[in-house]
Amino acid sequence: MADAKRAFITGITGQDGSYLAELLLSQGYEVHGMVRRTSTDSLVRIPPQILPQVTLHWGSMHDAAALARILKLVQPDEIYNLAAQSHVGISFDCPVETTEINYHGLGRLVHAVLESTPSARIYQASTSEMFGSTAPPQNERSEMAPVSPYAIAKLRAYEDYVVGYRARHGLHISSGILFNHESPRRGREFVTRKIALALAAIKLGLQHHLELGNLRAQRDWGYAKDYVEAMYLMVQKEVPADFVIGTGESHTVKEFVDAAAQALDLSLFWEGEQENEVARDAAGIVRVRVSSQFYRPAEVHALRADPSKAGAELGWHPKTSFSELVEMMVRSDYDALSGESQKRY
């Protein structure tokens, strides 16, 4: 491992971090990750077969001293900043915490890089939520119009520490403006995983109905494992740049529910929609209720990527279709809830 490149991943315990660790190990990297102390098992998403190959360090995006200590110790060639308060809805309830991690956290990281590893190449996880109310399709030249504390913090981080430090300090820092990306490792608080879990539970008789908010919201959903490949490719470029990453297709939340039900051979009954009666001899019936409880104070109505730059300059294209992604997620949760061995996707 003496000649192996070293990578440092913040947010290694999250969905993207776990897939990225797998990818980098497959490329022969020495992988280091930062872990924040929590009261629950934060390593649950990292496949057990790769965990012994990853070196973990205690730290937090709140703690400049910890970031500096880790960077001086590891001396990474590449740094992937995936740590974030990543839930848009929660950011309305916790705007200060969201700003502290998503904006000031990146500031602490780049300052530590300038002190100890200025030649390291950095990837910053940006978000399609920065486009906000801008009409789709959205690409690198589209106007940024964020509508949530999450998106505002991410945009400030992008402008000040990605664009700003690239120009003023010569940092090799690239930003991936990723559209929604999901997987069986997605957190249960996100709507896609909530749908997958609920329908799997209903299929098994463990749950009776599903409650959702805005069914008309449109998102460009892709597979997280595909998207970490784009992160890796960005960092390999000699000249740092920013890239929109997505599938170029958008689907509504309602369409996600429809696809998930189809994958489990379930019939849907949308409460309040008389025209959508279902046959009583169906294998299973899912009652879906719309609740104002799950609406956000400000909503991004439609996101759809134009990832043509990534295709042309990185050679990156999504490999997994929307229907394949949805089926993968609901089948994984069904297997886990039914006591069968859960596949590692």
Side-chain angles (χ1 to χ4, degrees):
M1 295 285 288
D3 297 324
K5 283 187 177 181
R6 291 178 185 169
F8 172 54
I9 305 171
T10 70
I12 194 171
T13 59
Q15 168 189 250
D16 294 3
S18 67
Y19 284 118
L20 180 61
E22 286 182 299
L23 173 63
L24 293 174
L25 287 170
S26 74
Q27 296 293 324
Y29 278 65
E30 179 182 323
V31 177
H32 296 254
M34 186 171 72
V35 180
R36 179 172 54 90
R37 177 73 177 91
T38 65
S39 59
T40 58
D41 183 3
S42 59
L43 304 179
V44 66
R45 292 188 182 92
I46 302 178
Q49 64 269 26
I50 73 163
L51 195 54
Q53 303 173 58
V54 176
T55 302
L56 299 175
H57 306 265
W58 294 109
S60 166
M61 299 303 288
H62 291 278
D63 193 334
L67 289 167
R69 170 182 55 80
I70 295 168
L71 290 179
K72 286 178 183 177
L73 176 66
V74 175
Q75 292 291 305
D77 300 290
E78 297 173 8
I79 299 167
Y80 296 83
N81 183 39
L82 309 184
Q85 192 300 96
S86 58
H87 195 284
V88 177
I90 291 173
S91 76
F92 287 100
D93 296 324
C94 304
V96 175
E97 174 74 1
T98 300
T99 301
E100 179 64 26
I101 298 172
N102 296 2
Y103 174 69
H104 294 295
L106 178 60
R108 295 184 188 102
L109 178 63
V110 295
H111 290 155
V113 170
L114 287 174
E115 288 293 320
S116 60
T117 57
S119 62
R121 296 185 176 190
I122 307 168
Y123 170 83
Q124 163 64 6
S126 291
T127 172
S128 60
E129 290 284 330
M130 298 189 308
F131 293 118
S133 58
T134 298
Q138 295 102 351
N139 60 33
E140 295 82 3
R141 299 176 301 280
S142 298
E143 179 185 1
M144 302 292 186
V147 300
S148 69
Y150 167 76
I152 291 168
K154 281 288 191 178
L155 179 57
R156 286 182 63 197
Y158 170 72
E159 292 175 337
D160 290 354
Y161 297 124
V162 178
V163 177
Y165 273 51
R166 198 161 55 198
R168 292 195 299 274
H169 300 286
L171 279 183
H172 191 296
I173 182 168
S174 298
S175 177
I177 305 173
L178 271 58
F179 282 61
N180 294 65
H181 45 291
E182 320 296 319
S183 75
R185 301 181 195 176
R186 189 58 143 151
R188 295 184 175 205
E189 68 274 21
F190 292 89
V191 68
T192 53
R193 186 73 193 287
K194 175 182 176 179
I195 293 167
L197 271 167
L199 266 62
I202 291 169
K203 179 73 173 181
L204 292 165
L206 303 175
Q207 187 169 322
H208 299 98
H209 67 275
L210 169 63
E211 288 193 27
L212 295 169
N214 183 8
L215 298 174
R216 295 184 178 87
Q218 297 178 38
R219 295 292 183 269
D220 184 332
W221 279 301
Y223 182 26
K225 190 173 183 178
D226 294 344
Y227 285 33
V228 299
E229 294 178 9
M231 299 177 190
Y232 171 75
L233 292 171
M234 285 180 220
V235 175
Q236 308 316 305
K237 284 181 64 67
E238 285 304 313
V239 178
D242 309 315
F243 291 89
V244 160
I245 303 297
T247 69
E249 298 180 3
S250 62
H251 299 270
T252 64
V253 174
K254 187 175 186 295
E255 287 177 283
F256 197 102
V257 178
D258 287 333
Q262 183 176 358
L264 289 177
D265 193 28
L266 291 167
S267 298
L268 293 170
F269 178 77
W270 301 90
E271 293 192 359
E273 297 187 11
Q274 295 179 354
E275 70 277 10
N276 196 29
E277 290 290 344
V278 297
R280 296 302 172 185
D281 59 352
I285 297 172
V286 180
R287 291 186 173 273
V288 185
R289 300 172 185 168
V290 175
S291 172
S292 59
Q293 172 188 351
F294 300 110
Y295 275 77
R296 294 171 181 168
E299 180 65 87
V300 174
H301 297 292
L303 292 172
R304 186 174 78 255
D306 168 12
S308 54
K309 180 182 176 183
E313 297 188 20
L314 299 178
W316 181 87
H317 302 278
K319 301 173 183 175
T320 309
S321 70
F322 174 73
S323 59
E324 290 170 336
L325 171 65
V326 176
E327 181 166 5
M328 178 197 309
M329 292 180 69
V330 296
R331 287 292 175 189
S332 175
D333 280 326
Y334 179 84
D335 289 347
L337 290 175
S338 62
E340 298 179 16
S341 59
Q342 185 174 11
K343 296 179 181 177
R344 282 283 177 183
Y345 292 97

